[in-house]
Amino acid sequence: MAPAGALLLGYLLGSIPFGVLLTRAAGAGDLRQIGSGNIGATNVLRTGRKGLAAATLLLDMAKGAVAVLIAATFLPGTDALAATAAFIGHCYPVWLKFRGGKGVATLMGVVLALYWPSGLVYAAVWLGLLATVRISSVSGMAAAVSAPVSAAFFGRIDLVLMLLALALIVLWKHRENIDRLLSGSEPRVGSKRG
């Protein structure tokens, strides 16, 4: 029962669409009709409300981390299952007809909770590229890819395959961004384009 409980816990926590809930509560409209239509913090930023974007980022990270920590505490040995389910819940939430976010913030929360040294690498790659390149998709995809690489480097081989699978989902969710990057039309942070 523990694995099923971890999967359910992770999915339900991960599927909470904080970006949609916060923008709606703040009177900023339906986030899915703004900018790229994505439910993550980058698109919340396009509403012009930096506080809401920061809150979305932190809450999307927190739901991934909390799922892992609860599973590790109450359902020992199931933390990786809860992590995976939380990430999948964010990307494919039942409440939004399985049209969720791209998973970058939730994956960071998951990685921090599973193995914090890899989480620090993830954060450094994400924030470092965001500050220099200023293209959210580039920094997010690179951070996601850094997770299995850093886990392997630090000897956490038990996490590598799972983190690789989640990183590949992040890349898949960014396929339209990749097309725009190749065509030179991907917007930089602060742009109002979708």
Side-chain angles (χ1 to χ4, degrees):
M1 290 301 292
L7 288 170
L8 183 62
L9 163 76
Y11 183 81
L12 290 178
L13 279 173
S15 66
I16 301 170
F18 284 114
V20 173
L21 296 174
L22 290 174
T23 51
R24 185 174 296 164
D30 186 345
L31 185 59
R32 294 165 294 176
Q33 304 301 319
I34 297 169
S36 67
N38 190 262
I39 67 168
T42 300
N43 202 41
V44 175
L45 190 59
R46 292 189 180 105
T47 67
R49 308 214 183 168
K50 294 181 181 177
L52 283 182
T56 300
L57 175 67
L58 293 174
L59 288 169
D60 281 348
M61 285 174 51
K63 66 186 182 184
V66 167
V68 172
L69 296 174
I70 290 176
T73 302
F74 298 104
L75 302 166
T78 66
D79 48 344
L81 283 176
T84 302
F87 175 83
I88 296 298
H90 176 79
C91 293
Y92 304 99
V94 63
W95 326 112
L96 302 179
K97 298 179 180 177
F98 303 103
R99 295 178 183 173
K102 296 179 181 176
V104 176
T106 302
L107 183 56
M108 180 171 168
V110 159
V111 176
L112 278 168
L114 283 173
Y115 185 63
W116 65 264
S118 287
L120 293 183
V121 171
Y122 191 113
V125 171
W126 189 10
L127 296 175
L129 284 175
L130 195 59
T132 54
V133 179
R134 296 190 59 78
I135 300 177
S136 180
S137 60
V138 170
S139 57
M141 288 188 289
V145 170
S146 80
V149 173
S150 67
F153 178 81
F154 291 128
R156 288 301 306 267
I157 305 304
D158 57 311
L159 296 176
V160 172
L161 283 180
M162 182 202 77
L163 293 176
L164 178 59
L166 300 187
L168 288 174
I169 294 173
V170 169
L171 295 179
W172 170 255
K173 296 286 282 186
H174 280 85
R175 59 195 183 280
E176 292 179 3
N177 302 85
I178 293 170
D179 287 342
R180 288 194 296 269
L181 284 166
L182 293 173
S183 69
S185 60
E186 179 74 339
R188 294 180 183 272
V189 172
S191 167
K192 301 216 182 260
R193 273 191 60 197

